Amino acid sequence: MRTQLASESTEVLLPNPGGLGSAEVQTGLDAQRTVCRLRLAAWLMPLLIAVLLPTMQVMKTLSNLRSGLQLEAQQLADTMSKNAARQPELWLYRINGLVNELESVRQRGHVNALRLLNERGAELAAVGTWGARSALSERALVMESGAHVATLELQVDALSAVRDAAPAAVGSLVLALLTWWLMVKVAVGSVAR
């Protein structure tokens, strides 16, 4: 049996193997489309899993680092503001005390570098290695009787967020491979049969 289609002035003859009706041919085409879509999904889903999970982990870690840095900066600036209010003329000249205060914050492990600048921007005290690349930084004002007397700057390495996401990346890669295997072997295999 042959089916004839008319397209403009051209006539096309399509073979109908084994005398299948049009419903059976349509079912076969639908199955082929489904297999193609499943194969596409079998590649896209694992790719999304492998990329999105580590990316979300890095973004969450960066957000936590930034909020922790803001909190640390504000707490230290408040402490220094109280010290400035108690001894307005002397507190800036106690460099060893200021360095010890900054060092105690750095040793807690949340901050890589800290520095205290006077109201003109000159560095009064600093601890840690101040880096320019791949770092998050935060500033807080040190006030004395409502007047700005110093600026506190804190910095943390943003690459630590990437290092912290390494286990999530490995886990998402394993999950992506498992998803790919399940979709290709089980889903596509069962539909293809």
Side-chain angles (χ1 to χ4, degrees), residues 33-188:
R33 285 189 201 118
T34 302
V35 169
C36 286
R37 288 180 185 143
L38 279 173
R39 283 190 178 134
L40 179 63
W43 286 104
L44 290 179
M45 270 180 72
L47 182 65
L48 286 173
I49 290 170
V51 172
L52 287 180
L53 290 180
T55 301
M56 288 176 9
Q57 179 68 31
V58 167
M59 298 304 289
K60 179 182 173 233
T61 304
L62 285 174
S63 174
N64 290 345
L65 283 174
R66 178 153 313 276
S67 62
L69 198 60
Q70 288 171 342
L71 181 64
E72 193 77 54
Q74 196 54 54
Q75 287 176 344
L76 188 55
D78 290 345
T79 301
M80 289 186 166
S81 293
K82 288 175 188 172
N83 292 341
R86 272 184 270 166
Q87 299 175 327
E89 293 84 25
L90 299 176
W91 83 275
L92 276 177
Y93 300 105
R94 296 182 32 247
I95 298 300
N96 288 339
L98 293 172
V99 169
N100 289 339
E101 213 170 334
L102 296 177
E103 184 64 35
S104 70
V105 171
R106 190 178 73 83
Q107 286 179 351
R108 282 185 252 167
H110 303 295
V111 179
N112 294 6
L114 298 96
R115 62 183 171 193
L116 185 65
L117 310 171
N118 68 11
E119 69 276 358
R120 294 181 306 280
E123 189 174 286
L124 299 171
V127 294
T129 304
W130 198 265
R133 64 181 192 104
S134 68
L136 295 173
S137 60
E138 190 64 39
R139 297 178 125 196
L141 299 178
V142 178
M143 308 295 277
E144 189 264 310
S145 300
H148 171 234
V149 292
T151 302
L152 180 66
E153 292 183 341
L154 288 79
Q155 189 178 69
V156 66
D157 182 20
L159 288 178
S160 64
V162 175
R163 287 189 296 272
D164 291 348
V170 170
S172 67
L173 187 59
V174 169
L175 183 62
L177 289 172
L178 181 65
T179 303
W180 176 82
W181 182 80
L182 282 172
M183 290 190 74
V184 168
K185 297 297 181 188
V186 177
V188 174

Side-chain angles (χ1 to χ4, degrees), residues 23-34:
E24 287 130 352
V25 171
Q26 187 62 36
T27 303
L29 290 175
D30 288 343
Q32 285 178 343
R33 285 189 201 118
T34 302

